[in-house]
Amino acid sequence: MRSSAPRLRGSFGPYAAALAVAAAALTATPALAAVPTPPPVSWNGHVDTPTEGPAPTDVTETTETTGAPEVTEATENEAEAAAAREYKGRVIARSGLLLRDRPTRSSRVIGTAAYGQIVHIFCKTRGDNVNGNDRWYLLTDGNWAWGSAAYIENIGQAPRWC
């Protein structure tokens, strides 16, 4: 009886060795200690250099008595950088702001924001013109929705572009 499997011919020794070398090269990990860490950069693009005190560390240390993580300068800087990237605005439309699924006046309304409500803005883009303003903000409150920038007053810096 003949087997239905195809018969393999020839020597596979050189191919097996090459395959083993390629697999080893793909699975090898570089030494992470050799890669220098870049200096921290502030929200305005400037390199933050500490003026006094020890240099910030990237590793959080644990206290000997409680075992809880200790807050270091690096984690404080990261928190400040995250707060600097958070954009907020206040709704100034007296009748409330219609939140839409796209940055157009004809898109579907998926929610509303009340007058005076503080909204969290992810980014801005250009869209339909509303009262001479073609900017729309992508809001992250609850669900992702677009609101016309004509009816949102920035609190702090203007949002980044999407």
Side-chain angles (χ1 to χ4, degrees), residues 1 13 15 31 37 41-42 59 71 85 111 121 134 136 139 148 153 156 159:
M1 257 173 109
Y15 300 110
T37 56
V41 179
S42 67
V59 179
V71 177
R85 287 188 298 264
I121 304 168
D134 68 346
W136 288 71
L139 307 177
S148 173
E153 178 182 61

Side-chain angles (χ1 to χ4, degrees), residues 66-145:
T66 63
E70 183 179 318
V71 177
T72 62
E73 288 183 37
T75 56
E76 289 174 3
N77 289 343
E78 291 170 7
E80 289 174 9
R85 287 188 298 264
E86 186 174 303
Y87 307 110
K88 294 182 182 179
R90 178 177 289 113
V91 176
I92 57 173
R94 293 280 181 191
S95 59
L97 175 65
L98 296 177
L99 304 177
R100 300 182 178 271
D101 65 349
R102 290 191 308 261
T104 62
R105 296 175 77 179
S106 61
S107 62
R108 186 171 55 101
V109 175
I110 59 174
T112 59
Y115 173 76
Q117 180 179 342
I118 304 297
V119 292
H120 294 87
I121 304 168
F122 183 72
C123 61
K124 65 183 173 185
T125 191
R126 295 191 194 281
D128 281 357
N129 193 326
V130 178
N131 295 339
N133 189 341
D134 68 346
R135 305 253 167 89
W136 288 71
Y137 293 152
L138 180 57
L139 307 177
T140 61
D141 298 314
N143 57 358
W144 294 71

Side-chain angles (χ1 to χ4, degrees), residues 23-61:
L26 290 174
T27 59
T29 57
L32 296 177
V35 178
T37 56
V41 179
S42 67
W43 62 270
N44 59 2
H46 297 286
V47 174
D48 288 337
T49 54
T51 56
E52 58 186 52
T57 61
D58 289 340
V59 179
T60 58
E61 300 173 6

